[in-house]
């Protein structure tokens, strides 16, 4: 699965992963911060996964991503936890952040 917005395309690696900079990834994920609070909720993460081709697995992957990335357990991914979200995306969403 690769992020489906060509505005963020940099390069597709030989293993099929979309390569993008950290800034490009942040810009893409922040599109889903619908209430603009600077944090990503479980619902917002599910929407990001769904638009990335997650289909019926979006709910499961979104929940898994939240468990992995939300290190303080408050139900949101904030700037301090963003590194965890990047790691999740690289393992589960076909992305390589360079």
């Amino acid at each position: 699965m690769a992020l489906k917005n060509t505005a963020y395309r940099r390069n597709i690696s030989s293993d099929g992963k979309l390569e993008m900079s950290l800034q490009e990834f942040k810009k893409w994920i922040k599109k889903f911060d619908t209430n603009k609070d600077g944090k990503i909720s479980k619902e917002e993460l599910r929407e990001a996964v769904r638009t990335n081709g997650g289909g019926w697995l979006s709910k499961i992957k979104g929940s898994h991503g939240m468990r992995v990335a939300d290190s303080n357990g408050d139900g949101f991914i904030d700037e301090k936890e963003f590194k965890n979200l990047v790691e999740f995306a690289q393992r589960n969403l076909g992305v390589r952040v360079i």
Side-chain angles (χ1 to χ4, degrees):
M1 260 185 278
L3 299 179
K4 298 224 180 212
N5 188 331
T6 57
Y8 300 100
R9 289 190 183 270
R10 261 188 81 124
N11 188 27
I12 304 294
S13 64
S14 62
D15 62 0
K17 289 190 174 193
L18 173 63
E19 294 181 338
M20 64 173 56
S21 71
L22 180 60
Q23 285 306 108
E24 289 170 323
F25 182 77
K26 282 183 176 186
K27 185 176 179 181
W28 176 77
I29 201 72
K30 287 181 180 189
K31 290 187 335 180
F32 300 98
D33 181 12
T34 54
N35 63 358
K36 305 300 181 207
D37 65 354
K39 300 183 258 183
I40 301 296
S41 69
K42 186 186 322 185
E43 292 75 23
E44 292 166 339
L45 183 56
R46 285 179 182 164
E47 181 63 14
V49 172
R50 187 191 65 73
T51 63
N52 191 39
W56 63 274
L57 290 174
S58 299
K59 191 171 187 177
I60 295 168
K61 284 187 175 185
S63 295
H64 175 68
M66 185 58 66
R67 282 192 309 276
V68 169
D70 181 21
S71 59
N72 67 5
D74 69 352
F76 298 94
I77 301 167
D78 60 29
E79 190 65 34
K80 291 181 237 167
E81 299 164 320
F82 200 79
K83 178 183 171 201
N84 301 339
L85 182 58
V86 169
E87 291 171 6
F88 167 77
Q90 290 187 124
R91 284 193 308 270
N92 298 281
L93 300 181
V95 175
R96 179 173 293 117
V97 178
I98 52 174

